[in-house]
């Protein structure tokens, strides 16, 4: 109901009467008044003038379901959307919803996480309103081996959304960091629940550094934020709608496949390709030149003896980045 009121106000672009809203939604005037009041409590600035009605003047500054949905063009991703003020980890929260049968495309966002999880058992720090935590539930009809494209396609979508919305030249550091220059802006962590040879669901968690100006000492040399890179505070709701629109484009429209155009696009945006990299195999550190990313999202590295070694996970250090 509140979402529908926001849409009416947003599309009206000027005053719209309470009567008109109650008629087009088939609800009472009191219900409209109540919804408008709740929206004001959430941070929407709505002006009311006798005999003219209501006018939407400002969206809330921070993440808000109704505001994001206003800008959303997707059919699946984010149609079911929840914004939390604070949570331990959006990935853990969404996995519980998934176990209870939540639908594919469900998105959980949090303004703050108290125990955000990074890759390889690391911690992901999400300070309130300065970092966005997003988790996306998918239920692809794929085998566990076939879902390796979900993280790279999500990275591609993130890179496009950032470059489009923030006018930045962000790139992908294989496999799943989004960087600007030599510093990390976004981290991605995909988790999966599967039975034998069929995936039940995947939860892709995306952590975006939005407004930090300082980082903990351990990561300050390699972390950045949209604010630091652009000097501007972004409209977080519009930005997240852009992210979800791109996630739908890259994941759903590409049928989860990193084939043809998607892999070519990924490679164009991948800062790792063409650089010296070091990765670990067992206990050995191996170095070589990153030459390409294949349709499964694996990195092909040419070793000094001319052979190609394919890396599918783990930590890769890239010379000149981190
Ligand atoms: C990494 O670069 O190590 C991956 C970071 C992933 C962080 C995101 S924030 C949203 C989601 N919830 C979590 O607990 N982790 C992911």
């Amino acid at each position: 109901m509140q979402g529908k009121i926001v849409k009416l106000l947003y599309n009206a672009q000027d005053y719209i009467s309470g009567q008109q809203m109650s008629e087009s939604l088939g609800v009472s005037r009191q219900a409209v008044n109540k919804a408008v009041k709740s929206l004001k409590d959430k941070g929407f600035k709505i002006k009311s003038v006798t005999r003219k009605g209501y006018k939407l003047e400002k969206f809330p500054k921070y993440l808000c379901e109704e505001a994001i949905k206003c800008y959303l063009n997707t059919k699946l991703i984010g149609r079911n959307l929840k914004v939390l003020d604070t949570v331990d980890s959006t990935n853990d929260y969404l996995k519980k919803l998934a176990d209870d049968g939540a639908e594919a495309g469900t998105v959980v966002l949090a303004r703050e996480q108290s125990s955000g999880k990074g890759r390889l058992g690391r911690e992901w720090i999400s300070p309130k309103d300065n970092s966005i935590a997003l988790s996306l539930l998918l239920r692809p009809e794929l085998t566990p081996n076939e879902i390796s494209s979900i993280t790279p396609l999500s990275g591609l979508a993130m890179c496009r959304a950032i470059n489009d919305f923030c006018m930045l030249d962000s790139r992908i550091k294989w496999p799943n960091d989004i960087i600007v220059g030599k510093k990390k802006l976004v981290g991605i962590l995909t988790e999966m629940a599967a039975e034998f040879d069929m995936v039940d669901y995947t939860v892709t968690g995306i952590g975006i550094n939005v407004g930090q100006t300082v980082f903990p000492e351990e990561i300050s040399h390699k972390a950045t934020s949209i604010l630091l890179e652009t000097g501007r505070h972004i409209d977080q709701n519009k930005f997240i709608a852009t992210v979800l629109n791109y996630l739908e484009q890259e994941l759903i429209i590409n049928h989860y496949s990193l084939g043809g155009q998607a892999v070519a696009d990924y490679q164009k945006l991948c800062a790792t390709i063409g650089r010296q990299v070091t990765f670990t195999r067992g206990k050995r550190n191996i170095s070589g030149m990153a030459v390409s990313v294949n349709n499964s999202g694996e990195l092909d590295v040419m070793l000094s003896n001319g052979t190609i070694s394919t890396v599918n996970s783990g930590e890769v250090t890239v010379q000149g980045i981190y």
Side-chain angles (χ1 to χ4, degrees):
M1 165 75 165
Q2 287 174 34
K4 288 182 181 158
I5 299 265
V6 172
K7 277 222 165 113
L8 283 178
L9 288 165
Y10 179 65
N11 292 333
Q13 288 184 359
D14 197 1
Y15 285 93
I16 174 167
S17 72
Q19 183 62 30
Q20 230 176 311
M21 288 203 275
S22 78
E23 276 167 19
S24 68
L25 298 177
V27 297
S28 67
R29 286 288 304 273
Q30 281 101 313
V32 170
N33 292 346
K34 204 172 148 209
V36 168
K37 186 174 176 318
S38 310
L39 289 168
K40 283 183 178 171
D41 293 343
K42 282 189 180 170
F44 284 86
K45 218 170 146 204
I46 300 169
K47 200 170 170 188
S48 40
V49 171
T50 335
R51 279 192 291 277
K52 276 179 135 181
Y54 300 103
K55 184 176 174 179
L56 176 60
E57 293 196 320
K58 249 192 201 153
F59 280 96
K61 194 166 166 203
Y62 299 114
L63 291 178
C64 162
E65 264 156 56
E66 291 81 7
I68 296 168
K69 281 194 168 174
C70 228
Y71 303 119
L72 208 56
N73 296 323
T74 59
K75 287 203 169 69
L76 183 84
I77 293 185
R79 287 289 133 203
N80 186 26
L81 180 86
K82 198 170 179 60
V83 175
L84 304 167
D85 272 349
T86 184
V87 71
D88 48 0
S89 151
T90 51
N91 266 27
D92 289 347
Y93 185 94
L94 186 53
K95 283 194 281 178
K96 283 185 206 129
L97 294 188
D99 290 334
D100 291 342
E103 67 198 55
T106 298
V107 168
V108 172
L109 288 148
R111 293 171 60 188
E112 175 186 52
Q113 291 184 124
S114 52
S115 328
K117 300 184 300 180
R119 287 177 68 229
L120 310 169
R122 293 185 188 129
E123 178 190 16
W124 180 264
I125 298 162
S126 307
K128 190 152 197 168
D129 295 322
N130 280 330
S131 166
I132 298 176
L134 182 162
S135 293
L136 162 66
L137 171 66
L138 295 169
R139 296 188 182 276
E141 287 179 6
L142 297 175
T143 66
N145 291 334
E146 289 167 331
I147 60 137
S148 60
S149 58
I150 289 184
T151 297
L153 288 172
S154 305
L156 183 56
M158 277 314 302
C159 205
R160 286 195 192 293
I162 287 163
N163 294 354
D164 180 1
F165 193 85
C166 310
M167 309 287 218
L168 285 170
D169 181 23
S170 76
R171 309 277 229 100
I172 305 161
K173 177 180 177 279
W174 186 91
N176 44 10
D177 290 354
I178 305 300
I179 55 170
V180 176
K182 297 175 181 177
K183 293 186 168 184
K184 177 163 168 174
L185 194 66
V186 173
I188 304 177
L189 169 70
T190 298
E191 300 182 81
M192 165 182 86
E195 267 172 44
F196 303 108
D197 57 354
M198 205 57 203
V199 171
D200 183 9
Y201 63 78
T202 61
V203 166
T204 298
I206 305 177
I208 313 161
N209 295 333
V210 179
Q212 295 101 317
T213 49
V214 276
F215 289 92
E217 206 185 319
E218 326 77 83
I219 56 166
S220 63
H221 62 288
K222 60 168 187 176
T224 191
S225 70
I226 293 176
L227 176 60
L228 285 174
E229 293 303 325
T230 62
R232 280 178 283 120
H233 287 278
I234 53 160
D235 177 335
Q236 295 195 6
N237 293 306
K238 230 182 213 176
F239 172 64
I240 287 300
T242 306
V243 165
L244 299 179
N245 290 338
Y246 273 108
L247 282 169
E248 175 125 333
Q249 189 177 310
E250 298 303 340
L251 287 158
I252 311 301
I253 300 178
N254 280 332
H255 303 286
Y256 306 109
S257 155
L258 190 64
Q261 193 56 43
V263 77
D265 292 347
Y266 184 96
Q267 296 196 94
K268 247 189 251 159
L269 287 168
C270 182
T272 310
I273 294 174
R275 289 184 190 255
Q276 267 315 108
V277 297
T278 304
F279 59 95
T280 48
R281 185 98 351 129
K283 284 194 175 124
R284 276 192 321 136
N285 278 345
I286 302 177
S287 294
M289 172 69 76
V291 286
S292 57
V293 169
N294 65 26
N295 290 350
S296 305
E298 297 160 330
L299 184 70
D300 291 328
V301 179
M302 187 183 281
L303 308 184
S304 53
N305 62 8
T307 59
I308 298 284
S309 188
T310 300
V311 191
N312 56 23
S313 63
E315 188 76 333
V316 168
T317 13
V318 183
Q319 202 176 60
I321 305 183
Y322 58 84

